[in-house]
Amino acid sequence: MKRVRRLFDVLASLALLAGLAFAALIVRNHLYPPELLSAGPADVQVIDGDSLRVDGRTVRLQGMDAPEYRQNCRDGAGAEWPCGREARAALERLARSPGLTCESHEQDRYRRAVARCRNAAGVDLAHAMLGAGWAVALSRYAFPGYERAEETARSARRGIWRGEFDRPSDWRAAQAIGRDGA
């Protein structure tokens, strides 16, 4: 009987927490409605593999981190190649299709909209970049399926996974150290 009561208490607690989380989401969306951005190909400018300008607003794709534009990677033989430029080109191909839409619930410290973007075909740009091997998933911010897409690309040795690379956050940190020390 005690086991049944304990199970009931655990389930009731979980239901309460789920209810509170749902209520918080409703309040957040009511007080801070999502920013919706949409643009045609002429109104989209790709900055790098995870940032773009949509109708004049700078957007950072949520849940992923791509190599910086100036970042190089090493292939299986150790030769450097411009992975940052290739990541940018991959995002440009995805974002240039008509009917791009982005939904943002927050801004980052650089005042960019952090958003989930889809093209007219319904393709989630971040998920596609991860699946093609042009980015790493940011587990804390990733949507369902993002980490699996990264794992698939890693296993198939696509994009940045075909050799060695510095994680974009590590590369950025090293560049900041180099500038300060120079």
Side-chain angles (χ1 to χ4, degrees):
M1 193 60 154
K2 286 184 179 182
R3 288 180 111 179
V4 172
R5 178 68 182 160
R6 182 177 228 173
L7 179 61
F8 177 79
D9 288 345
V10 167
L11 291 175
S13 296
L14 289 174
L16 178 63
L17 286 174
L20 289 172
F22 184 70
L25 182 63
I26 289 172
V27 168
R28 181 189 79 169
N29 287 343
H30 179 70
L31 295 176
Y32 307 101
E35 180 179 7
L36 300 174
L37 303 163
S38 61
D43 299 319
V44 175
Q45 178 188 5
V46 175
I47 299 165
D48 60 21
D50 55 27
S51 302
L52 53 157
R53 232 175 247 103
V54 179
D55 200 24
R57 176 82 158 104
T58 304
V59 174
R60 170 75 160 79
L61 295 177
Q62 184 173 345
M64 59 161 274
D65 197 12
E68 296 300 319
Y69 183 72
R70 294 178 296 127
Q71 186 173 346
N72 289 324
C73 296
R74 292 167 297 288
D75 66 17
E80 282 195 2
W81 58 282
C83 59
R85 289 179 185 203
E86 289 194 31
R88 179 180 183 258
L91 181 58
E92 202 159 50
R93 286 189 296 274
L94 289 165
R96 290 287 178 196
S97 70
L100 182 74
T101 59
C102 299
E103 182 176 333
S104 172
H105 289 276
E106 61 186 288
Q107 291 187 80
D108 66 8
R109 64 182 174 190
Y110 304 108
R111 302 189 56 80
R112 298 177 295 188
V114 178
R116 186 175 200 180
C117 299
R118 295 179 187 276
N119 64 22
V123 174
D124 178 329
L125 301 187
H127 188 271
M129 290 291 288
L130 288 160
W134 294 116
V136 295
L138 299 175
S139 302
R140 184 174 170 192
Y141 306 104
F143 288 100
Y146 280 20
E147 291 177 281
R148 179 74 181 121
E150 177 192 308
E151 178 56 38
T152 299
R154 185 183 316 146
S155 296
R157 303 190 59 73
R158 286 187 219 134
I160 58 177
W161 301 105
R162 67 182 178 217
E164 295 179 9
F165 66 94
D166 293 326
R167 289 202 165 264
S169 58
D170 294 339
W171 188 87
R172 285 190 299 271
Q175 298 308 303
I177 291 168
R179 280 194 301 269
D180 291 342

Coordinates of all heavy atoms in Angstrom, one line a residue, residues 42-131:
A42 N 15.5 37.8 -51.9 CA 16.1 39.1 -52.0 C 16.3 39.7 -50.6 O 17.2 40.6 -50.5 CB 15.3 40.0 -52.9
D43 N 15.5 39.3 -49.6 CA 15.6 40.0 -48.3 C 16.4 39.2 -47.3 O 16.3 39.5 -46.1 CB 14.2 40.2 -47.8 CG 13.3 41.1 -48.7 OD1 13.9 42.1 -49.2 OD2 12.2 40.8 -48.9
V44 N 17.1 38.2 -47.7 CA 17.9 37.4 -46.8 C 19.4 37.5 -47.2 O 19.8 37.4 -48.3 CB 17.5 35.9 -47.0 CG1 18.5 35.0 -46.1 CG2 16.1 35.7 -46.6
Q45 N 20.2 37.8 -46.2 CA 21.7 37.9 -46.3 C 22.3 37.0 -45.3 O 22.1 37.1 -44.1 CB 22.1 39.3 -46.1 CG 23.6 39.5 -46.2 CD 24.1 40.8 -45.8 OE1 23.4 41.7 -45.3 NE2 25.4 41.1 -45.9
V46 N 23.0 36.0 -45.8 CA 23.7 35.0 -44.9 C 25.0 35.6 -44.5 O 25.8 36.1 -45.3 CB 23.9 33.7 -45.6 CG1 24.7 32.7 -44.8 CG2 22.5 33.1 -46.0
I47 N 25.2 35.6 -43.2 CA 26.5 36.2 -42.6 C 27.5 35.1 -42.4 O 28.7 35.3 -42.9 CB 26.1 36.8 -41.2 CG1 25.1 38.0 -41.4 CG2 27.4 37.3 -40.6 CD1 24.5 38.5 -40.2
D48 N 27.2 34.0 -41.8 CA 28.1 32.9 -41.7 C 27.2 31.6 -41.6 O 26.0 31.7 -41.9 CB 29.0 33.0 -40.5 CG 28.4 33.2 -39.1 OD1 27.2 32.8 -39.0 OD2 29.0 33.7 -38.2
G49 N 27.7 30.5 -41.1 CA 27.0 29.3 -41.0 C 25.8 29.2 -40.1 O 25.1 28.2 -40.1
D50 N 25.7 30.2 -39.2 CA 24.6 30.1 -38.2 C 23.9 31.5 -38.0 O 23.1 31.6 -37.1 CB 25.0 29.5 -36.9 CG 26.2 30.2 -36.3 OD1 26.4 31.4 -36.5 OD2 26.9 29.5 -35.5
S51 N 24.3 32.4 -38.8 CA 23.7 33.8 -38.7 C 23.3 34.3 -40.0 O 24.0 34.1 -41.0 CB 24.7 34.7 -38.0 OG 25.1 34.3 -36.8
L52 N 22.2 35.0 -40.0 CA 21.7 35.6 -41.3 C 20.9 36.9 -40.9 O 20.5 37.1 -39.8 CB 20.9 34.7 -42.1 CG 19.7 34.0 -41.4 CD1 18.7 33.5 -42.5 CD2 20.2 32.7 -40.7
R53 N 20.7 37.7 -41.9 CA 19.9 38.9 -41.8 C 18.6 38.6 -42.6 O 18.6 38.3 -43.8 CB 20.6 40.1 -42.4 CG 20.6 41.3 -41.4 CD 21.4 42.5 -41.8 NE 22.6 42.6 -41.0 CZ 23.8 42.2 -41.3 NH1 24.1 41.8 -42.5 NH2 24.8 42.4 -40.4
V54 N 17.5 38.7 -41.9 CA 16.2 38.5 -42.5 C 15.4 39.8 -42.5 O 15.1 40.3 -41.4 CB 15.4 37.4 -41.7 CG1 14.0 37.1 -42.4 CG2 16.2 36.1 -41.7
D55 N 15.2 40.3 -43.6 CA 14.4 41.6 -43.8 C 15.0 42.7 -42.8 O 14.3 43.4 -42.1 CB 12.9 41.4 -43.5 CG 12.1 42.5 -44.1 OD1 12.5 43.2 -45.0 OD2 11.0 42.7 -43.5
G56 N 16.3 42.7 -42.8 CA 17.0 43.8 -42.0 C 17.3 43.4 -40.5 O 18.0 44.1 -39.8
R57 N 16.8 42.3 -40.0 CA 17.0 41.9 -38.6 C 18.0 40.8 -38.6 O 17.9 39.8 -39.3 CB 15.6 41.4 -38.1 CG 15.7 40.8 -36.7 CD 15.6 42.0 -35.6 NE 15.2 41.5 -34.3 CZ 16.0 41.3 -33.3 NH1 17.3 41.6 -33.4 NH2 15.5 40.9 -32.2
T58 N 19.0 40.9 -37.7 CA 20.0 39.8 -37.6 C 19.5 38.7 -36.8 O 18.9 38.9 -35.7 CB 21.3 40.4 -36.9 OG1 21.8 41.5 -37.7 CG2 22.4 39.3 -36.9
V59 N 19.6 37.5 -37.3 CA 19.1 36.3 -36.7 C 20.2 35.3 -36.4 O 21.0 35.0 -37.3 CB 18.0 35.6 -37.6 CG1 17.5 34.3 -37.0 CG2 16.8 36.6 -37.8
R60 N 20.2 34.6 -35.3 CA 21.1 33.6 -34.9 C 20.3 32.3 -34.8 O 19.3 32.3 -34.1 CB 21.8 33.9 -33.6 CG 22.6 32.7 -33.0 CD 23.9 32.6 -33.7 NE 24.9 31.9 -32.9 CZ 24.9 30.6 -32.8 NH1 24.0 29.8 -33.4 NH2 25.9 30.0 -32.1
L61 N 20.6 31.3 -35.6 CA 19.9 30.0 -35.6 C 20.0 29.3 -34.2 O 21.1 29.2 -33.7 CB 20.3 29.1 -36.7 CG 20.1 29.5 -38.1 CD1 20.7 28.5 -39.1 CD2 18.6 29.8 -38.3
Q62 N 18.9 29.0 -33.6 CA 18.9 28.4 -32.3 C 19.3 26.9 -32.3 O 19.0 26.1 -33.2 CB 17.5 28.5 -31.7 CG 17.4 27.9 -30.3 CD 16.0 28.2 -29.7 OE1 15.2 29.0 -30.2 NE2 15.8 27.5 -28.6
G63 N 20.1 26.5 -31.3 CA 20.4 25.1 -31.1 C 21.6 24.5 -31.8 O 21.8 23.3 -31.7
M64 N 22.3 25.4 -32.5 CA 23.5 24.9 -33.2 C 24.6 26.0 -33.2 O 24.3 27.1 -33.0 CB 23.1 24.5 -34.7 CG 22.5 25.7 -35.4 SD 22.6 25.5 -37.2 CE 24.2 26.1 -37.6
D65 N 25.8 25.5 -33.5 CA 26.9 26.4 -33.7 C 27.8 25.9 -34.9 O 28.2 24.8 -34.9 CB 27.8 26.4 -32.4 CG 28.7 27.6 -32.2 OD1 28.6 28.5 -33.0 OD2 29.6 27.5 -31.3
A66 N 27.9 26.8 -35.8 CA 28.7 26.5 -37.1 C 30.0 27.1 -37.0 O 30.2 28.1 -36.3 CB 27.9 27.0 -38.3
P67 N 31.0 26.6 -37.8 CA 32.3 27.2 -37.8 C 32.2 28.7 -38.3 O 31.3 29.1 -39.1 CB 33.1 26.4 -38.9 CG 32.4 25.1 -39.0 CD 30.9 25.4 -38.6
E68 N 33.0 29.5 -37.7 CA 33.1 31.0 -38.1 C 33.5 31.1 -39.6 O 34.3 30.2 -40.1 CB 34.0 31.7 -37.2 CG 33.5 31.8 -35.7 CD 32.1 32.4 -35.6 OE1 31.8 33.4 -36.3 OE2 31.3 31.9 -34.8
Y69 N 33.2 32.2 -40.2 CA 33.5 32.4 -41.6 C 35.0 32.2 -41.9 O 35.3 31.6 -42.9 CB 32.9 33.7 -42.1 CG 33.2 34.0 -43.5 CD1 32.4 33.3 -44.5 CD2 34.1 34.9 -44.0 CE1 32.6 33.5 -45.8 CE2 34.3 35.1 -45.3 CZ 33.6 34.4 -46.3 OH 33.8 34.6 -47.6
R70 N 35.8 32.7 -41.0 CA 37.3 32.7 -41.3 C 37.9 31.4 -40.7 O 39.1 31.2 -40.8 CB 37.9 33.9 -40.6 CG 37.5 35.2 -41.3 CD 38.2 36.4 -40.7 NE 37.7 36.5 -39.3 CZ 38.4 36.7 -38.2 NH1 39.7 36.7 -38.3 NH2 37.9 36.8 -37.0
Q71 N 37.1 30.5 -40.2 CA 37.7 29.3 -39.5 C 38.0 28.2 -40.6 O 37.3 28.0 -41.5 CB 36.6 28.7 -38.5 CG 37.2 27.6 -37.7 CD 36.2 27.1 -36.7 OE1 35.2 27.8 -36.3 NE2 36.4 25.9 -36.1
N72 N 39.2 27.6 -40.4 CA 39.6 26.5 -41.2 C 39.5 25.2 -40.4 O 39.6 25.2 -39.2 CB 41.0 26.7 -41.7 CG 41.1 27.8 -42.7 OD1 40.2 27.9 -43.6 ND2 42.2 28.5 -42.7
C73 N 39.3 24.1 -41.1 CA 39.3 22.7 -40.5 C 40.4 21.9 -41.2 O 41.0 22.4 -42.2 CB 37.9 22.1 -40.8 SG 36.6 22.9 -39.9
R74 N 40.6 20.7 -40.8 CA 41.6 19.8 -41.4 C 40.9 18.6 -41.9 O 40.1 18.0 -41.2 CB 42.7 19.5 -40.3 CG 43.6 20.7 -40.0 CD 44.4 20.4 -38.7 NE 43.7 20.2 -37.5 CZ 43.0 21.1 -36.8 NH1 42.9 22.4 -37.2 NH2 42.4 20.8 -35.7
D75 N 41.3 18.2 -43.1 CA 40.6 17.0 -43.7 C 41.3 15.8 -43.1 O 42.2 15.9 -42.2 CB 40.6 17.0 -45.2 CG 42.0 17.0 -45.8 OD1 43.0 16.6 -45.1 OD2 42.2 17.3 -47.0
G76 N 40.9 14.6 -43.6 CA 41.5 13.3 -43.1 C 43.0 13.2 -43.2 O 43.6 12.5 -42.4
A77 N 43.6 13.9 -44.2 CA 45.0 13.9 -44.4 C 45.7 15.0 -43.7 O 46.9 15.1 -43.8 CB 45.3 14.0 -45.9
G78 N 45.0 15.9 -43.0 CA 45.6 16.9 -42.2 C 45.7 18.3 -42.9 O 46.2 19.2 -42.4
A79 N 45.2 18.3 -44.2 CA 45.3 19.5 -45.0 C 44.1 20.5 -44.5 O 43.0 20.0 -44.3 CB 45.1 19.2 -46.5
E80 N 44.5 21.8 -44.4 CA 43.5 22.8 -44.1 C 42.5 23.0 -45.2 O 42.9 23.0 -46.4 CB 44.1 24.1 -43.6 CG 44.7 24.0 -42.2 CD 45.0 25.4 -41.7 OE1 44.8 26.4 -42.3 OE2 45.5 25.4 -40.5
W81 N 41.3 23.3 -44.9 CA 40.3 23.7 -45.9 C 39.3 24.7 -45.2 O 39.1 24.7 -44.0 CB 39.5 22.5 -46.4 CG 38.8 21.6 -45.4 CD1 39.4 20.7 -44.6 CD2 37.4 21.6 -45.2 NE1 38.4 20.1 -43.8 CE2 37.2 20.7 -44.2 CE3 36.3 22.3 -45.7 CZ2 35.9 20.4 -43.7 CZ3 35.1 22.1 -45.2 CH2 34.9 21.1 -44.2
P82 N 38.7 25.6 -46.0 CA 37.9 26.7 -45.4 C 36.5 26.2 -45.0 O 35.5 26.6 -45.6 CB 37.8 27.7 -46.5 CG 37.9 26.9 -47.8 CD 38.8 25.7 -47.4
C83 N 36.4 25.5 -43.9 CA 35.1 25.0 -43.5 C 34.1 26.1 -43.1 O 32.9 25.9 -43.3 CB 35.3 24.0 -42.3 SG 36.0 24.7 -40.8
G84 N 34.6 27.2 -42.6 CA 33.7 28.3 -42.3 C 33.0 28.8 -43.5 O 31.8 29.1 -43.5
R85 N 33.7 29.0 -44.6 CA 33.2 29.5 -45.8 C 32.2 28.5 -46.4 O 31.2 28.8 -47.0 CB 34.3 29.8 -46.8 CG 35.1 31.0 -46.4 CD 36.2 31.3 -47.4 NE 36.9 32.4 -46.8 CZ 37.6 33.3 -47.5 NH1 37.7 33.1 -48.8 NH2 38.3 34.3 -46.9
E86 N 32.5 27.2 -46.3 CA 31.6 26.1 -46.8 C 30.4 26.0 -46.0 O 29.3 25.8 -46.6 CB 32.4 24.8 -46.9 CG 33.4 24.8 -48.0 CD 33.9 23.4 -48.4 OE1 33.2 22.4 -48.3 OE2 35.1 23.4 -48.8
A87 N 30.5 26.2 -44.7 CA 29.3 26.2 -43.9 C 28.4 27.4 -44.3 O 27.1 27.3 -44.4 CB 29.6 26.3 -42.4
R88 N 28.9 28.6 -44.5 CA 28.2 29.7 -44.9 C 27.5 29.4 -46.3 O 26.3 29.8 -46.5 CB 29.1 31.0 -45.1 CG 28.3 32.2 -45.6 CD 29.3 33.4 -45.7 NE 28.5 34.6 -46.1 CZ 28.5 35.1 -47.3 NH1 29.2 34.5 -48.3 NH2 27.9 36.1 -47.6
A89 N 28.2 28.8 -47.2 CA 27.6 28.5 -48.5 C 26.5 27.5 -48.4 O 25.4 27.6 -49.1 CB 28.7 27.9 -49.5
A90 N 26.6 26.6 -47.5 CA 25.5 25.6 -47.2 C 24.3 26.3 -46.7 O 23.1 26.0 -47.2 CB 26.0 24.5 -46.3
L91 N 24.4 27.2 -45.7 CA 23.3 27.9 -45.2 C 22.7 28.8 -46.3 O 21.5 29.0 -46.4 CB 23.7 28.7 -44.0 CG 22.5 29.5 -43.3 CD1 21.4 28.6 -42.9 CD2 23.1 30.3 -42.1
E92 N 23.5 29.4 -47.1 CA 23.0 30.3 -48.2 C 22.1 29.5 -49.1 O 21.1 30.0 -49.5 CB 24.2 30.9 -48.9 CG 23.9 32.1 -49.7 CD 25.1 32.9 -50.0 OE1 26.1 32.4 -50.5 OE2 25.1 34.1 -49.7
R93 N 22.5 28.3 -49.5 CA 21.7 27.4 -50.3 C 20.3 27.2 -49.7 O 19.3 27.2 -50.4 CB 22.4 26.1 -50.7 CG 23.5 26.3 -51.7 CD 24.1 25.0 -52.1 NE 24.7 24.2 -51.1 CZ 26.0 24.3 -50.7 NH1 26.8 25.2 -51.3 NH2 26.5 23.6 -49.7
L94 N 20.3 26.9 -48.4 CA 19.1 26.6 -47.7 C 18.2 27.8 -47.6 O 17.0 27.7 -47.7 CB 19.3 26.0 -46.3 CG 19.9 24.6 -46.2 CD1 20.5 24.4 -44.8 CD2 18.8 23.6 -46.6
A95 N 18.8 29.0 -47.3 CA 18.0 30.2 -47.0 C 17.6 30.9 -48.2 O 16.7 31.8 -48.1 CB 18.9 31.1 -46.1
R96 N 18.1 30.6 -49.3 CA 17.8 31.4 -50.5 C 16.5 31.0 -51.2 O 16.0 31.6 -52.1 CB 18.9 31.3 -51.6 CG 20.1 32.0 -51.2 CD 19.9 33.5 -51.3 NE 21.2 34.2 -50.9 CZ 21.2 35.4 -50.6 NH1 20.1 36.2 -50.7 NH2 22.3 36.0 -50.2
S97 N 15.9 29.9 -50.7 CA 14.6 29.4 -51.3 C 13.5 30.4 -50.9 O 13.6 31.0 -49.8 CB 14.3 28.0 -50.9 OG 13.9 28.0 -49.5
P98 N 12.5 30.6 -51.6 CA 11.4 31.6 -51.3 C 10.7 31.2 -50.0 O 10.7 30.0 -49.6 CB 10.5 31.5 -52.5 CG 11.1 30.7 -53.5 CD 12.2 29.9 -52.9
G99 N 10.2 32.2 -49.3 CA 9.3 31.9 -48.2 C 10.0 31.6 -46.9 O 9.5 30.8 -46.1
L100 N 11.2 32.1 -46.6 CA 11.9 31.9 -45.3 C 11.1 32.5 -44.2 O 10.6 33.7 -44.3 CB 13.3 32.5 -45.3 CG 14.1 32.2 -44.1 CD1 14.5 30.8 -44.0 CD2 15.3 33.2 -44.1
T101 N 10.9 31.8 -43.1 CA 10.2 32.3 -41.9 C 11.0 31.9 -40.7 O 11.6 30.8 -40.6 CB 8.8 31.7 -41.7 OG1 8.8 30.3 -41.6 CG2 7.9 32.1 -42.9
C102 N 11.1 32.8 -39.7 CA 11.8 32.6 -38.5 C 10.9 33.0 -37.3 O 10.2 34.0 -37.4 CB 13.1 33.5 -38.5 SG 14.3 33.1 -39.8
E103 N 11.0 32.2 -36.3 CA 10.3 32.5 -35.0 C 11.2 32.6 -33.9 O 12.0 31.7 -33.6 CB 9.2 31.4 -34.8 CG 8.4 31.7 -33.5 CD 7.3 30.7 -33.3 OE1 6.8 30.1 -34.3 OE2 6.9 30.5 -32.1
S104 N 11.2 33.8 -33.2 CA 12.2 34.0 -32.2 C 11.4 34.4 -30.9 O 10.5 35.1 -30.9 CB 13.1 35.2 -32.5 OG 13.8 35.6 -31.4
H105 N 11.9 33.8 -29.8 CA 11.4 34.1 -28.4 C 12.3 34.8 -27.6 O 12.0 35.2 -26.4 CB 11.0 32.8 -27.7 CG 9.8 32.1 -28.3 ND1 8.5 32.5 -28.0 CD2 9.7 31.1 -29.2 CE1 7.6 31.7 -28.7 NE2 8.3 30.9 -29.4
E106 N 13.6 35.1 -28.1 CA 14.6 35.7 -27.3 C 15.6 36.4 -28.1 O 15.7 36.2 -29.3 CB 15.2 34.8 -26.3 CG 15.9 33.6 -27.0 CD 16.4 32.6 -26.1 OE1 17.4 32.9 -25.3 OE2 15.9 31.5 -26.0
Q107 N 16.5 37.2 -27.5 CA 17.6 37.8 -28.1 C 18.9 37.3 -27.4 O 18.8 37.0 -26.2 CB 17.6 39.3 -28.0 CG 16.5 40.0 -28.8 CD 16.7 41.5 -28.7 OE1 17.5 42.1 -29.4 NE2 15.9 42.1 -27.9
D108 N 20.0 37.3 -28.1 CA 21.3 37.0 -27.4 C 21.9 38.2 -26.9 O 21.4 39.3 -27.1 CB 22.2 36.1 -28.3 CG 22.7 36.8 -29.5 OD1 22.5 38.1 -29.7 OD2 23.3 36.2 -30.4
R109 N 23.1 38.1 -26.4 CA 23.8 39.3 -25.8 C 24.2 40.3 -26.9 O 24.5 41.4 -26.6 CB 25.0 38.9 -25.0 CG 26.0 38.2 -25.8 CD 27.2 37.8 -24.9 NE 28.1 37.0 -25.6 CZ 29.1 36.3 -25.1 NH1 29.3 36.3 -23.8 NH2 29.9 35.7 -25.9
Y110 N 24.2 39.9 -28.1 CA 24.5 40.8 -29.2 C 23.3 41.4 -29.9 O 23.3 42.0 -30.9 CB 25.4 40.1 -30.3 CG 26.6 39.5 -29.7 CD1 26.7 38.1 -29.6 CD2 27.7 40.2 -29.3 CE1 27.8 37.5 -29.0 CE2 28.8 39.7 -28.8 CZ 28.9 38.3 -28.6 OH 30.0 37.7 -28.1
R111 N 22.1 41.2 -29.2 CA 20.8 41.7 -29.6 C 20.3 41.1 -31.0 O 19.5 41.6 -31.7 CB 20.8 43.2 -29.7 CG 21.2 43.9 -28.4 CD 21.0 45.3 -28.3 NE 19.7 45.8 -28.6 CZ 18.6 45.8 -27.8 NH1 18.8 45.3 -26.6 NH2 17.5 46.3 -28.1
R112 N 20.9 39.9 -31.3 CA 20.4 39.1 -32.4 C 19.1 38.4 -32.0 O 19.1 37.9 -30.9 CB 21.4 38.1 -32.9 CG 22.7 38.8 -33.4 CD 23.7 37.8 -33.9 NE 24.1 37.0 -32.7 CZ 25.1 36.1 -32.7 NH1 25.8 35.9 -33.8 NH2 25.4 35.4 -31.7
A113 N 18.2 38.2 -32.9 CA 17.0 37.3 -32.6 C 17.5 35.9 -32.6 O 18.2 35.5 -33.6 CB 15.9 37.5 -33.6
V114 N 17.3 35.1 -31.6 CA 17.7 33.7 -31.6 C 16.4 33.0 -32.1 O 15.4 33.1 -31.4 CB 18.1 33.2 -30.2 CG1 18.4 31.7 -30.2 CG2 19.3 34.0 -29.7
A115 N 16.5 32.3 -33.2 CA 15.3 31.8 -33.8 C 15.4 30.5 -34.5 O 16.5 30.0 -34.8 CB 14.9 32.8 -34.9
R116 N 14.3 29.9 -34.7 CA 14.1 28.7 -35.5 C 13.6 29.1 -36.8 O 12.5 29.7 -36.9 CB 13.2 27.7 -34.8 CG 13.1 26.4 -35.5 CD 12.2 25.4 -34.7 NE 12.5 24.1 -35.0 CZ 11.9 23.0 -34.5 NH1 11.0 23.2 -33.5 NH2 12.2 21.8 -34.8
C117 N 14.3 28.8 -37.9 CA 13.9 29.3 -39.2 C 13.6 28.1 -40.1 O 14.3 27.0 -40.0 CB 15.1 30.1 -39.8 SG 15.5 31.6 -38.9
R118 N 12.6 28.3 -41.0 CA 12.3 27.2 -41.9 C 12.1 27.9 -43.3 O 11.7 29.0 -43.4 CB 10.9 26.6 -41.6 CG 11.0 25.8 -40.3 CD 9.6 25.3 -40.0 NE 9.5 24.6 -38.7 CZ 9.9 23.4 -38.4 NH1 10.4 22.6 -39.3 NH2 9.8 22.9 -37.1
N119 N 12.5 27.1 -44.3 CA 12.2 27.6 -45.7 C 10.8 27.2 -46.2 O 10.1 26.6 -45.4 CB 13.4 27.2 -46.6 CG 13.4 25.7 -46.9 OD1 12.5 25.0 -46.6 ND2 14.6 25.2 -47.3
A120 N 10.5 27.6 -47.4 CA 9.1 27.4 -47.9 C 8.8 25.9 -47.9 O 7.6 25.5 -47.8 CB 9.0 28.0 -49.3
A121 N 9.8 25.1 -48.1 CA 9.5 23.6 -48.1 C 9.3 23.0 -46.7 O 9.1 21.8 -46.5 CB 10.7 22.9 -48.8
G122 N 9.5 23.9 -45.7 CA 9.3 23.4 -44.3 C 10.6 22.9 -43.7 O 10.5 22.4 -42.6
V123 N 11.7 23.1 -44.4 CA 13.0 22.5 -43.9 C 13.5 23.5 -42.7 O 13.6 24.7 -42.9 CB 14.0 22.5 -45.0 CG1 15.4 22.1 -44.5 CG2 13.5 21.5 -46.1
D124 N 13.7 22.9 -41.6 CA 14.3 23.6 -40.4 C 15.8 23.8 -40.8 O 16.6 22.8 -40.9 CB 14.2 22.7 -39.2 CG 14.8 23.3 -37.9 OD1 15.8 24.0 -38.0 OD2 14.2 23.0 -36.8
L125 N 16.2 25.0 -40.9 CA 17.6 25.3 -41.4 C 18.7 24.8 -40.5 O 19.6 24.2 -40.9 CB 17.8 26.8 -41.6 CG 16.9 27.6 -42.5 CD1 17.3 29.0 -42.7 CD2 16.8 26.9 -43.9
A126 N 18.5 24.9 -39.2 CA 19.5 24.4 -38.2 C 19.6 22.9 -38.3 O 20.7 22.3 -38.3 CB 19.2 24.9 -36.8
H127 N 18.4 22.2 -38.3 CA 18.4 20.7 -38.4 C 19.1 20.3 -39.7 O 19.9 19.3 -39.7 CB 17.0 20.2 -38.4 CG 16.9 18.7 -38.3 ND1 16.8 17.9 -39.4 CD2 16.9 17.9 -37.2 CE1 16.8 16.7 -39.0 NE2 16.8 16.6 -37.7
A128 N 18.9 21.0 -40.8 CA 19.5 20.6 -42.1 C 21.0 20.9 -42.0 O 21.8 20.0 -42.5 CB 18.9 21.4 -43.2
M129 N 21.4 22.0 -41.4 CA 22.9 22.2 -41.3 C 23.6 21.2 -40.4 O 24.7 20.7 -40.7 CB 23.1 23.6 -40.7 CG 22.7 24.8 -41.6 SD 23.8 24.9 -43.0 CE 25.3 25.6 -42.2
L130 N 22.9 20.8 -39.4 CA 23.5 19.7 -38.5 C 23.5 18.4 -39.3 O 24.5 17.7 -39.2 CB 22.6 19.5 -37.2 CG 22.7 20.7 -36.2 CD1 21.5 20.7 -35.3 CD2 24.0 20.5 -35.4
G131 N 22.5 18.0 -40.0 CA 22.5 16.8 -40.7 C 23.5 16.7 -41.8 O 23.9 15.6 -42.2

